[in-house]
């Protein structure tokens, strides 16, 4: 749900009057075993695993990229990830393998946890699934928030769980309503409520969903938590810790939202489609990723939130071991990297890639089982069946085993 402040105000009446608790199967008394909040860092464009979490220095396929040791035995990261390397003791790195090499389709598969696009059925994104089942009762922040474009919809879960999409920046947030507009908005709000009550369609499913969205927008805009979105009040010193640019702002905002109680936040970092000039691009992108994400983790560790937060880092597939004539790497599904991080995660490597850049171990982690594992750590039953609006039953995850 990509809404500007103008569109939210429109929904609240200027254009006329046109949260659930965690899965009950997971006992409330055991909730401390599971993460309560979720961050998905989506590396759009398919990053090179050889320049991030699986470098191969000294081999032809490794190119000029150097490796550095991490805090996890037997695990090396690219030299561009020095901050994350120092935090690896709470990271599980997966040597993934998959089959879909088309960006759009593979992004859909990644974000829906392994489901392929079929017909008119729209599967739910992991961010929306977590938001639906981990939204605390009474929380006014959206159940799922996407920082930047790229998140898939809530699909069969319905529009109420679509990601609330905003583009973070240094300027004052567009969500903040000037004092001069408050009375006019509140007057329009009361008028809309009166018209709503008189509508013969007020009890229809479509109108109920519309009204719920309106109430959510109203609670957010008129509540104190809207200030979390405003980065103009953050000191330049604190901002500098995250780096510069949109990704840095997204990580800073994600920290504020998680500390504010948001159950699910997606951060999108694009530009990884490096068919040309792979090494220069991945060096710059890697440093951007490292600065923002490592500081986000440090902020969560400092407050104790890291123990209840699960972070997934992944792109849709990987890059070829072979370096092409344009100093680039092309699409590769036979081996790529994904990371789960959080206070409850033990530093480890799952799967193995050989000197040819192929996931060679008997265990070949796939997207389906990665989503299964993610939902398990969130205290959500991945085998839970959901009835779609057309009466079709579907499981939250198509996976069937937990990887860690």
């Amino acid at each position: 749900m990509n809404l500007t402040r103008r569109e939210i105000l429109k929904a609240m009446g200027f254009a006329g009057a046109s949260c659930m608790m965690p899965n009950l199967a997971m006992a409330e008394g055991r909730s401390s075993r599971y993460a309560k909040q979720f961050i998905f860092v989506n590396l759009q464009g398919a990053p090179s695993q050889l320049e991030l979490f699986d470098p191969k220095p000294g081999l032809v396929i490794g190119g000029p990229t150097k490796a550095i040791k991490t805090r996890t035995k037997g695990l090396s990261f690219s030299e561009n990830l020095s901050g994350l390397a120092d935090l690896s003791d709470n990271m599980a790195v997966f040597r993934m393998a998959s089959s879909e090499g088309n960006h759009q389709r593979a992004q859909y598969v990644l974000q829906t946890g392994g489901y392929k696009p079929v017909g008119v059925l729209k599967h739910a994104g992991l961010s929306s699934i977590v938001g639906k089942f981990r939204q605390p009762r009474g929380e006014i922040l959206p159940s799922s928030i996407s920082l930047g474009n790229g998140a898939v919809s809530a699909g069969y879960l319905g529009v109420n769980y679509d990601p609330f999409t905003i583009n973070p920046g240094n300027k004052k947030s567009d969500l903040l309503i000037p004092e001069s507009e408050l009375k006019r908005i509140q007057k329009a709000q009361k008028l809309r409520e009166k018209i709503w009550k008189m509508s013969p369609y007020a009890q229809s499913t479509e109108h109920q969903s519309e009204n719920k969205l309106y109430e959510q927008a109203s609670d957010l805009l008129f509540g104190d938590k809207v200030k979390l979105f405003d980065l103009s009040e953050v000191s330049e010193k604190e901002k500098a810790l995250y780096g510069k640019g949109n990704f840095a702002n997204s990580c800073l905002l994600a920290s504020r939202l998680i500390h504010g109680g948001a159950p699910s936040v997606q951060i999108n970092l694009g530009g990884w489609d490096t068919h040309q000039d792979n090494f220069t691009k991945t060096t710059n992108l890697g440093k951007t990723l490292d600065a923002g994400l490592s500081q986000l983790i440090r902020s969560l560790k400092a407050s104790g939130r890291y123990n209840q937060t699960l972070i997934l880092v992944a792109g849709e597939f990987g890059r070829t071991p072979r370096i092409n004539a344009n100093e680039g790497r092309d699409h590769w599904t036979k081996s790529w990297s994904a990371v789960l991080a959080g206070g409850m995660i033990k530093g480890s490597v799952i799967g193995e890639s050989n000197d040819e850049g192929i996931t060679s171990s008997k265990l070949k982690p796939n997207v389906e089982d990665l989503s299964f594992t993610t939902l398990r750590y969130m205290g959500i039953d991945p085998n839970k069946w959901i009835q779609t609006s057309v009466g079709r039953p579907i499981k939250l995850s198509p996976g069937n085993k937990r990887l860690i």
Side-chain angles (χ1 to χ4, degrees):
M1 177 173 56
N2 192 351
L3 296 177
T4 63
R5 182 171 69 89
R6 178 174 301 194
E7 290 168 328
I8 292 176
L9 298 181
K10 181 178 179 181
M12 293 178 64
F14 283 97
S18 88
C19 333
M20 296 183 70
M21 293 298 285
N23 184 1
L24 296 178
M26 302 296 179
E28 184 174 340
R30 295 156 49 201
S31 61
S32 60
R33 294 175 51 194
Y34 305 105
K36 297 178 181 179
Q37 293 169 286
F38 178 61
I39 300 172
F40 173 32
V41 181
N42 180 18
L43 306 180
Q44 299 163 302
S48 170
Q49 68 283 2
L50 297 163
E51 275 65 63
L52 290 181
F53 301 107
D54 193 14
K56 303 287 187 183
L59 299 178
V60 174
I61 68 171
T65 302
K66 297 178 181 178
I68 56 175
K69 292 183 179 180
T70 70
R71 294 171 65 91
T72 304
K73 184 178 179 179
L75 176 64
S76 296
F77 284 175
S78 156
E79 61 185 323
N80 302 317
L81 303 180
S82 58
L84 292 175
D86 196 45
L87 296 165
S88 73
D89 47 341
N90 289 120
M91 295 180 183
V93 179
F94 301 88
R95 306 300 187 207
M96 305 285 290
S98 57
S99 59
E100 182 55 68
N102 172 274
H103 285 295
Q104 185 174 3
R105 290 176 60 87
Q107 266 288 322
Y108 185 94
V109 172
L110 172 69
Q111 294 197 51
T112 61
Y115 281 110
K116 295 181 179 180
V118 289
V120 297
L121 174 64
K122 298 297 182 183
H123 299 93
L126 274 178
S127 295
S128 294
I129 291 174
V130 172
K132 174 181 173 65
F133 288 99
R134 291 308 260 162
Q135 175 86 321
R137 194 181 303 277
E139 177 57 63
I140 66 171
L141 286 172
S143 60
S144 175
I145 300 171
S146 177
L147 305 180
N149 297 320
V152 300
S153 74
Y156 59 78
L157 293 180
V159 295
N160 289 326
Y161 299 101
D162 274 347
F164 179 84
T165 302
I166 64 169
N167 293 303
N170 278 310
K171 64 179 183 179
K172 199 173 184 67
S173 173
D174 287 340
L175 292 175
L176 297 176
I177 301 173
E179 291 288 334
S180 58
E181 290 187 33
L182 278 177
K183 289 185 178 180
R184 184 163 64 96
I185 294 172
Q186 290 168 342
K187 185 177 180 179
Q189 182 181 12
K190 291 179 180 179
L191 176 61
R192 184 192 182 281
E193 290 172 353
K194 289 180 180 179
I195 297 175
W196 171 263
K197 291 178 181 179
M198 294 186 296
S199 171
Y201 306 105
Q203 300 305 315
S204 70
T205 301
E206 292 79 5
H207 281 70
Q208 288 288 334
S209 294
E210 177 188 338
N211 195 49
K212 187 173 181 179
L213 284 174
Y214 161 77
E215 290 175 352
Q216 290 173 340
S218 177
D219 290 342
L220 176 61
L221 287 177
F222 291 108
D224 290 337
K225 289 193 174 182
V226 71
K227 296 177 183 178
L228 293 172
F229 294 89
D230 184 19
L231 299 184
S232 66
E233 300 298 321
V234 179
S235 70
E236 292 302 318
K237 182 178 180 180
E238 182 177 355
K239 289 178 182 177
L241 295 174
Y242 291 83
K244 296 182 179 180
N246 287 336
F247 183 74
N249 291 333
S250 293
C251 289
L252 171 58
L253 182 51
S255 175
R256 290 167 63 85
L257 292 170
I258 291 295
H259 284 102
S264 179
V265 178
Q266 179 166 327
I267 305 173
N268 302 291
L269 176 61
W272 298 95
D273 195 14
T274 54
H275 293 282
Q276 297 179 332
D277 197 17
N278 171 77
F279 302 104
T280 299
K281 291 177 180 177
T282 54
T283 294
N284 294 331
L285 284 167
K287 290 179 178 179
T288 296
L289 172 66
D290 185 66
L293 182 55
S294 61
Q295 181 56 32
L296 169 57
I297 292 174
R298 285 192 288 268
S299 74
L300 296 175
K301 287 173 72 75
S303 66
R305 287 270 178 171
Y306 200 45
N307 291 328
Q308 65 180 48
T309 304
L310 184 69
I311 302 175
L312 170 62
V313 184
E316 60 265 39
F317 45 80
R319 291 278 146 186
T320 55
R322 184 183 68 84
I323 302 167
N324 65 30
N326 296 312
E327 288 294 306
R329 296 190 189 272
D330 301 315
H331 298 185
W332 186 250
T333 62
K334 295 182 179 181
S335 184
W336 48 283
S337 299
V339 177
L340 277 180
M344 74 294 295
I345 303 293
K346 182 180 179 181
S348 55
V349 183
I350 296 84
E352 182 181 355
S353 63
N354 61 23
D355 289 349
E356 296 177 351
I358 299 173
T359 296
S360 55
S361 55
K362 184 176 180 181
L363 172 64
K364 295 184 178 181
N366 55 42
V367 176
E368 293 89 333
D369 292 331
L370 180 64
S371 72
F372 188 97
T373 304
T374 299
L375 293 178
R376 279 293 189 194
Y377 268 93
M378 292 305 307
I380 301 169
D381 183 3
N383 291 315
K384 182 179 179 65
W385 290 88
I386 298 290
Q387 196 88 353
T388 69
S389 59
V390 296
R392 175 176 176 175
I394 188 167
K395 277 204 312 179
L396 291 181
S397 168
N400 56 29
K401 66 174 177 286
R402 183 168 174 165
L403 296 172
I404 54 173

